[in-house]
Amino acid sequence: MTEENTRIVADKLLGLLGLARRAGKLGMGVSAVEKMVVRGENPMVIAATDMGESLKGKVARWEPVRGVVSGVLTGEDMARAFGRDKLAVVAVSDSGFVKGIRKLGF
């Protein structure tokens, strides 16, 4: 995928995540995503490309999840999009939003 295509996909992903946030279906941050996993919501996890090694290990151990999207958005991209100072992981469990993310190729 070219850099331009990657940016287009990243922008579309951020758009979907923004819609999920407005719909109240987006978990933002480690504790919110972890709660979704523990409650059995089986979320799709979006992880920042620049997250730390310890957090990568934690995300890898979360079960069950519908998948982990990584390598697309930086923590800065997500933080800026959602008005946060820092943000390394978000998740969505709504099947419609998960389907939309999968259509982007994830």
Side-chain angles (χ1 to χ4, degrees), residues 10 13-14 17 26-30 33 43-62 65-79 82 86-92 101 106:
L13 178 58
L14 282 173
L17 295 175
L26 184 71
M28 292 188 293
V30 175
V33 174
M44 169 77 75
V45 177
I46 296 82
T49 59
D50 53 354
M51 79 166 79
E53 290 301 317
S54 64
L55 185 52
K56 283 180 186 177
K58 186 175 225 177
V59 169
R61 289 188 301 272
W62 283 338
V65 296
R66 292 184 193 174
V68 177
V69 175
S70 60
V72 180
L73 301 172
T74 66
E76 186 178 330
D77 290 337
M78 290 193 289
F82 300 117
K86 292 169 45 174
L87 189 59
V89 64
V90 297
V92 61
I101 292 169
F106 301 108

Side-chain angles (χ1 to χ4, degrees), residues 36-37 40-46 62-69 91-102 106:
M36 292 173 82
V37 172
E41 294 181 29
N42 197 20
M44 169 77 75
V45 177
I46 296 82
W62 283 338
E63 290 290 331
V65 296
R66 292 184 193 174
V68 177
V69 175
V92 61
S93 60
D94 181 82
S95 61
F97 290 113
V98 170
K99 187 176 180 180
I101 292 169
R102 290 201 190 281
F106 301 108

